[in-house]
Amino acid sequence: MKMIENVDNLVIESLNFVKSGKFLDLGSGKGVNSLFLKNKGFSGIGIDFNKELIESLKEYNDSKFKFINRDLLNFDFKDIFDIIISTNVLHYLYKEN
């Protein structure tokens, strides 16, 4: 199992309010926050635009959890999530002219 380092404090604090369920990690990057929640028993989805990062994390995919390569500006989920996180992402998004 991957070593979990540098989990965002807000993700840790969210466990005070939601103890279990399904999460969506928008801009999952190296998977730190997603894997932390997975290790806490959550099911969920980590999404990132960086194909290489997602490929490197595919070994953690299972029936309750997966990493997906997708553009955050063009996705559609019909699922319901108990936690939605997106850390260190907004500054990478831009409006095209």
Side-chain angles (χ1 to χ4, degrees):
M1 181 59 66
K2 183 174 181 163
M3 183 67 158
I4 307 299
E5 299 175 0
N6 301 320
V7 175
D8 189 278
N9 285 334
L10 291 175
V11 174
I12 295 170
E13 290 175 20
S14 71
L15 298 181
N16 292 323
F17 305 99
V18 181
K19 303 292 185 196
S20 64
K22 189 171 186 176
F23 72 88
L24 175 63
D25 185 357
L26 298 170
S28 58
K30 295 179 181 177
V32 172
N33 293 321
S34 292
L35 292 172
F36 172 78
L37 290 170
K38 179 182 182 185
N39 288 341
K40 293 293 184 181
F42 284 79
S43 62
I45 299 170
I47 299 174
D48 202 277
F49 187 70
N50 187 314
K51 186 175 183 176
E52 290 79 27
L53 281 176
I54 294 300
E55 287 297 321
S56 73
L57 295 165
K58 292 257 178 165
E59 68 182 275
Y60 301 103
N61 290 354
D62 58 33
S63 62
K64 294 183 177 183
F65 177 83
K66 61 186 166 184
F67 284 104
I68 299 173
N69 175 235
R70 187 149 314 153
D71 182 349
L72 297 180
L73 298 176
N74 297 305
F75 77 94
D76 184 23
F77 277 101
K78 308 265 188 275
D79 298 19
I80 295 174
F81 298 95
D82 301 291
I83 297 177
I84 299 175
I85 58 176
S86 182
T87 58
N88 299 314
V89 173
L90 292 179
H91 57 282
Y92 289 106
L93 303 178
Y94 61 92
K95 182 178 180 180
E96 292 182 6
N97 294 328

